[in-house]
């Protein structure tokens, strides 16, 4: 069985709740989230070999997008 | 390694990496710039040290060094643009509030109080039939 794809996001730059929302869109790839002290770790356990390079990049964009959108929604007008 | 608009940029295979000082550009400014690049490239932010944000831009397809340098340069320009927009927005906040308030209260329709007063004026007032001492009697 292939090693899971691991991603690390700094909590000070990415909101854990936003990462979780982004992960919901990637449910097909078996994501699991580990909320560590300074970082949020995301593991994908079901990644086809041909997508192993691309998935981290795609997910990072989704996580950043969701973090920014959520921050803007919560910001006072 | 190259210097793009004052940002020391590491160029690698399909990627450009540079660090931004958060005491110069606030995080929402960095995020605002990053947001505009999400459709053009992969963007990853990291925290190499306190008050420093590492920005990694990765091309979605093949990209030579000049293309990556240009991408990093455009990001640096966008940082400045976002910071300026934020500063102008903050300094104009009171003016915006004033214009909005003026527009809201100067609508050319009569206010609800004016309408009530007009209705009162239009009604035929029934006399209360209470004698008042200062009325002159006919006799």
């Amino acid at each position: 069985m292939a090693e899971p794809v691991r991603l690390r996001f700094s909590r000070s730059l990415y909101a854990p709740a936003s990462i979780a929302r982004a992960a919901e869109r990637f449910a097909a790839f078996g994501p699991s989230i580990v909320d560590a002290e300074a970082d949020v770790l995301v593991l994908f356990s079901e990644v086809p070999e041909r997508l192993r390079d691309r998935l981290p990049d795609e997910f990072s964009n989704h996580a950043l997008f969701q973090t920014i959108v959520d921050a803007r929604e919560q910001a006072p007008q | 390694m190259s210097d793009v608009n004052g940002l020391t940029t590491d160029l690698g295979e399909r990627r450009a990496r540079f660090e931004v000082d958060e005491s110069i550009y606030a995080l929402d400014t960095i995020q605002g710039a990053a947001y505009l690049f999400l459709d053009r490239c992969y963007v990853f932010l990291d925290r190499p040290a306190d008050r420093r944000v590492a920005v990694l831009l990765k091309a979605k397809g093949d990209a030579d060094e000049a293309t990556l340098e240009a991408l990093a340069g455009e990001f640096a320009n966008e940082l400045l643009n976002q910071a300026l927009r934020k500063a102008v927005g903050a300094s104009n906040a009171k003016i915006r509030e004033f214009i909005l308030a003026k527009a809201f209260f100067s609508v050319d329709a009569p206010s609800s109080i004016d309408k009530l007063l007009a209705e009162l004026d239009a009604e035929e007032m029934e006399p209360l039939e209470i004698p008042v001492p200062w009325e002159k009697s006919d006799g």
Side-chain angles (χ1 to χ4, degrees):
Chain A
M1 190 174 170
E3 278 286 302
V5 171
R6 295 164 191 269
L7 294 167
R8 181 188 59 80
F9 298 95
S10 169
R11 285 178 68 98
S12 65
L13 301 169
Y14 294 83
S18 304
I19 293 173
R21 288 176 72 180
E24 286 171 12
R25 284 180 230 130
F26 286 70
F29 302 105
S32 54
I33 296 172
V34 180
D35 206 346
E37 196 168 312
D39 298 321
V40 177
L41 306 176
V42 183
L43 286 80
F44 289 100
S45 57
E46 296 164 28
V47 184
E49 196 57 38
R50 64 188 172 83
L51 295 179
R52 287 185 76 82
D53 287 339
R54 194 171 148 205
L55 183 100
D57 297 330
E58 294 286 352
F59 183 76
S60 293
N61 265 16
H62 279 261
L64 185 57
F65 170 82
Q66 198 63 53
T67 294
I68 294 168
V69 167
D70 291 347
R72 286 179 178 175
E73 279 178 6
Q74 288 163 18
Q77 295 298 309
Chain B
M1 191 171 293
S2 68
D3 195 294
V4 181
N5 289 15
L7 294 173
T8 304
T9 307
D10 289 324
L11 299 176
E13 190 188 352
R14 286 175 51 205
R15 66 185 68 197
R17 181 190 180 282
F18 49 87
E19 290 185 15
V20 181
D21 189 336
E22 220 181 328
S23 61
I24 298 172
Y25 296 110
L27 181 57
D28 59 348
T29 298
I30 299 168
Q31 288 179 331
Y35 184 85
L36 296 175
F37 279 70
L38 289 174
D39 62 335
R40 298 174 56 189
C41 59
Y42 299 114
V43 185
F44 182 73
L45 304 180
D46 202 6
R47 174 80 70 191
D50 191 33
R51 307 292 295 163
R52 292 195 73 79
V53 177
V55 179
L56 179 71
L57 304 177
K58 188 174 174 186
K60 289 188 175 179
D62 290 335
D64 57 18
E65 203 165 281
T67 305
L68 293 169
E69 268 190 5
L71 200 61
E74 284 179 47
F75 194 97
N77 281 355
E78 192 54 45
L79 279 175
L80 199 58
N81 184 35
Q82 292 286 324
L84 187 65
R85 284 166 64 102
K86 190 178 168 188
V88 169
S91 67
N92 288 350
K94 285 284 174 199
I95 297 170
R96 279 203 314 274
E97 281 171 24
F98 173 76
I99 291 170
L100 202 64
K102 197 168 188 308
F104 194 70
F105 289 114
S106 66
V107 177
D108 208 18
S111 71
S112 54
I113 296 170
D114 290 339
K115 277 184 186 172
L116 277 175
L117 289 172
E119 279 176 34
L120 282 172
D121 286 343
E123 279 179 16
E124 274 191 28
M125 301 297 289
E126 293 288 331
L128 292 177
E129 295 179 349
I130 297 171
V132 285
W134 58 89
E135 269 188 355
K136 288 180 185 173
S137 62
D138 292 335

